[in-house]
Amino acid sequence: MASLSSPCFLLFTAILALVSWQALASDPGPLQDFCVADNSSRVLVNGFVCKDPKVVTAEDFFLAAKLDMPRDTKISKVGSNVTLINVMKIAGLNTLGISLARIDYAPLGENPPHTHPRATEILTVLEGTLYVGFVTSNPENKLFSKELRKGDVFVFPQGLIHFQFNPNPYKPAVAIAALSSQNPGAITIANAVFGSKPMISDDVLAKAFQVEKKTVDWLQAQFWADNHN
């Protein structure tokens, strides 16, 4: 057995620390109390350049978001409206690794299958009922799903495809979600696959989905609207 001071043990410890850091890291951690985003800077970094702390004010950490007000779900073909509060809305979120969203669902509305490439999401139902779930990666592609009621909480692991659906045909639903990134990103699967610009070859999609090309052409001809604002 190697001693605690041996080169092999020290190398192993260094590698383990590096791997653990990569496993735990999401957004870069702050090295000071805050790093308010300077949206006027032309310097390109992973995130945003810090504003001079001497000119930071309370307004940099504030947004009159009116998250207590219902959103219009009729503007979306999928019957939902996602109001995301991220670093683009509150500059003070820069480097803090967190954002927030209010999701409104019409009766039978859904937040369709999507992923957040940079964040884990924890969602709580404020009103109504939601059927939610996520699917694991290949090869299992196992579905974990649950029906949530007011006050229930559910977690969607980072990067996994997930969804929420309001099964009630008469009453709307509302949820609040926290995400572990200042800019979690969202990839709506149907929009990305069938609404990409330029379009993915229908030969590719027909083979991938095992359908006729005319089916792919029809899907690509649809208007794939975004439900985020």
Side-chain angles (χ1 to χ4, degrees):
M1 180 177 179
S3 70
L4 295 181
S5 60
S6 70
C8 289
F9 179 83
L10 294 176
L11 178 60
F12 172 78
T13 303
I15 293 174
L16 181 62
L18 179 61
V19 171
S20 299
W21 177 84
Q22 292 289 352
L24 294 173
S26 181
D27 288 3
L31 299 178
Q32 57 277 321
D33 288 344
F34 52 78
C35 172
V36 173
D38 183 356
N39 295 316
S40 65
S41 175
R42 295 186 178 182
V43 178
L44 300 179
V45 297
N46 184 24
F48 295 92
V49 173
C50 301
K51 181 187 289 189
D52 184 345
K54 295 178 182 177
V55 299
V56 170
T57 70
E59 298 304 308
D60 291 310
F61 303 93
F62 171 79
L63 178 68
K66 298 181 179 179
L67 290 185
D68 59 321
M69 301 295 292
R71 267 48 178 181
D72 184 5
T73 57
K74 295 180 181 179
I75 61 175
S76 166
K77 293 177 71 174
V78 295
S80 65
N81 191 324
V82 179
T83 304
L84 178 64
I85 310 298
N86 61 7
V87 69
M88 271 68 86
K89 301 285 184 68
I90 301 179
L93 285 174
N94 192 40
T95 76
L96 298 184
I98 193 168
S99 55
L100 179 74
R102 172 184 169 125
I103 310 105
D104 290 76
Y105 311 84
L108 300 180
E110 71 173 5
N111 192 10
H114 63 283
T115 74
H116 299 297
R118 296 179 290 275
T120 291
E121 175 181 350
I122 182 167
L123 176 141
T124 183
V125 178
L126 299 184
E127 294 292 341
T129 301
L130 290 176
Y131 170 66
V132 307
F134 66 85
V135 179
T136 62
S137 55
N138 300 348
E140 289 83 6
N141 298 134
K142 182 176 180 180
L143 172 65
F144 289 85
S145 63
K146 188 79 174 173
E147 186 167 289
L148 308 181
R149 303 188 185 280
K150 183 176 180 179
D152 289 345
V153 175
F154 198 82
V155 174
F156 305 106
Q158 180 173 339
L160 297 187
I161 295 174
H162 60 283
F163 61 87
Q164 303 107 38
F165 172 70
N166 177 9
N168 193 310
Y170 307 109
K171 295 182 179 180
V174 182
I176 287 284
L179 301 107
S180 62
S181 172
Q182 68 182 41
N183 183 25
I187 303 171
T188 304
I189 307 307
N191 296 36
V193 173
F194 297 110
S196 67
K197 302 178 182 63
M199 292 182 179
I200 300 173
S201 165
D202 56 4
D203 290 315
V204 172
L205 295 181
K207 188 78 169 180
F209 288 93
Q210 296 294 289
V211 297
E212 296 182 3
K213 286 171 59 174
K214 64 180 181 181
T215 302
V216 173
D217 295 338
W218 181 84
L219 286 167
Q220 290 182 322
Q222 305 308 303
F223 178 66
W224 296 101
D226 189 9
N227 65 335
H228 288 63
N229 63 56

